[in-house]
Structures are given as structure tokens and as C-alpha cells.
Amino acid sequence: MYDPTVARLTYRALLGRRRALILLALPVLLIVIAAAVRSFSGADDQVAKDLLQGFALATMVPIIGVIAGTGAIGPEIDDGSVVYLLSKPVKRPTIIFTKLIVAIGVTMAFSAVPTLIAGLILNGNGQQIAVAYTIAALVASIAYAAVFLLLGTITRHAVVFGLVYALVWEALFGSLVSGAKTLSVQQWSLAVAQKVAHGDLVSSDVGLPAATVLLVAVTVLATWYAGRKLRTLTLAGEE
């Protein structure tokens, strides 16, 4: 289910100089803000929670997921080079699964690591807040990568739709509108973070069992459907 050649090509596409600079922008900004906040206000658990949840988890993680998920396959479909890949004796589910693994790895590296660093800067992992939000970022990275990889296979405007989802649904509705919170990857990952963190600072509107089921279901279904759309794309190209 994993093809090293496909993985190498995908990593090369995602971590090219231009895209790597884009991926680094938000993590660097998070760490700079964390350092500035710590220097001005000292260690504060509430401030650490607000910054890690409001900026890192609600904004940075989904945006990096958009860049990594859509970038894993979208550009190949747009420029037609995916035809070359599909002509190779590699199963379509293997292509999708490999690209998903790469997208997950890139999303985790550029979101979870800076989240941990920022958390340690902010309050030295008081009440396990840094670790809790790092785990939330890791969990969310999996679901986001799958969803945005799917978007990359079904539309040429995947980045636009992905950013709308990340900035409007997750950062706005997923944080403020009670009904929308149930269908928010952010809230699902917060349920995991709540279990890890000490105290009652970290909370979620979704219970851990439901969040776990939804995270797994969304990841599996998005990956399965992306593989199916890729097979449809092949048939369309042959016709």
C-alpha cells in the first residue's frame, strides 16, 4: 500500500523551495508570537490555552493541512502530469495511500512540532497544555490531510475550498456556533486534548468516543473516495 517512488516525488513537490517557505510562515509566526507573549505577560496557562487553541489549532493546523493535502496531488492533476503517474504499474489506492502518508507527515511536522515549541515557551507545559495541544494537532493532521487530499482529487479549486473550510468553518463557525462544533475536526481533536490535559482549561463540545469514531470515519471515507475518484479520472482520460 506504500510506494517509495510515489512518496519521494510527492515529498519533492511539497517541500520545494516556494511551498516550503509558505509552510514555514505560520509556524514561525506562532513561535514569535509565543515568545513575545511570554516576555510581556510571563507564564500563564489561560493565555497559553487561548493562543494554542485560537491560532495553532483553529488556524495554523487546517491551513497547513490545506497546503499539504491539496498539494500532494492537486498540481499533478492540474498540469496533467498525473497521467504519467497513472500509466505506471501502481495501484490507484496505493497512490492515494502513499500521498496521504506524505501529506500527514508534512502536516504533522509543520504544525505539531511548532505547537509543542510554542506551548513550552508559553507556560513550560503547565497542566500538560503544550503536550495536549500537540497531540490534538497530530490527530487533526490526519483528518485534515485526508479531507484536503480528497478535495485535490475532485476539484481544480481545492485550495480555495480548503481555505474557506479552514478559515470560515473551522476558525469561525467551528469555534463559535454550537451546532457546527459537532462537525468540526478542531472539536474532535480537542476531545483528545481534553483527555490529556490536567485541569479544566481544555474542553470540547464533542465527547471522546464520538470524536474518535468521527475522526476515523472521516479519514477512512475521504481516503476511500479519493481512491475511487482517481480511478474515475483514469477512465475519463482513456476515453
Side-chain angles (χ1 to χ4, degrees):
M1 291 296 292
Y2 181 85
D3 187 275
T5 301
V6 174
R8 184 173 64 254
L9 293 173
T10 307
Y11 273 119
R12 185 179 301 172
L14 284 178
L15 299 178
R17 181 177 301 176
R18 183 177 178 182
R19 187 169 275 111
L21 289 175
I22 297 174
L23 286 168
L24 278 170
L26 285 175
V28 170
L29 179 60
L30 172 64
I31 293 172
V32 169
I33 293 175
V37 168
R38 177 61 186 266
S39 66
F40 287 124
S41 63
D44 187 303
D45 294 343
Q46 182 64 50
V47 171
K49 175 260 182 183
D50 290 342
L51 182 58
L52 294 180
Q53 183 168 323
F55 183 82
L57 193 62
T59 303
M60 182 185 72
V61 180
I63 289 179
I64 291 175
V66 170
I67 297 171
T70 61
I73 196 169
E76 292 176 311
I77 294 177
D78 291 342
D79 62 21
S81 62
V82 71
V83 175
Y84 172 79
L85 179 61
L86 297 178
S87 67
K88 299 301 179 181
V90 182
K91 295 179 180 180
R92 306 303 179 258
T94 298
I95 294 174
I96 289 296
F97 183 76
T98 301
K99 288 183 173 294
L100 174 63
I101 294 300
V102 173
I104 289 173
V106 171
T107 306
M108 286 181 171
F110 284 89
S111 61
V113 174
T115 297
L116 177 61
I117 295 172
L120 293 175
I121 291 173
L122 286 165
N123 76 334
N125 196 35
Q127 297 195 54
Q128 291 281 30
I129 289 177
V131 171
Y133 279 101
T134 299
I135 293 175
L138 290 171
V139 170
S141 294
I142 299 173
Y144 283 133
V147 169
F148 296 132
L149 179 65
L150 171 61
L151 276 180
T153 64
I154 63 179
T155 176
R156 292 179 179 273
H157 306 290
V159 174
V160 175
F161 288 121
L163 288 175
V164 169
Y165 174 85
L167 297 176
V168 177
W169 185 266
E170 288 286 11
L172 184 60
F173 289 101
S175 300
L176 302 177
V177 181
S178 58
K181 291 180 178 180
T182 307
L183 300 177
S184 167
V185 174
Q186 176 192 164
Q187 290 297 320
W188 303 342
S189 60
L190 277 174
V192 181
Q194 182 179 4
K195 186 70 175 179
V196 176
H198 297 163
D200 57 0
L201 273 179
V202 182
S203 62
S204 172
D205 289 281
V206 182
L208 182 59
T212 302
V213 171
L214 289 168
L215 283 166
V216 173
V218 165
T219 302
V220 171
L221 289 175
T223 305
W224 169 79
Y225 194 62
R228 182 176 179 180
K229 291 301 293 184
L230 196 62
R231 286 195 294 269
T232 304
L233 177 67
T234 305
L235 294 174
E238 291 172 351
E239 292 172 357

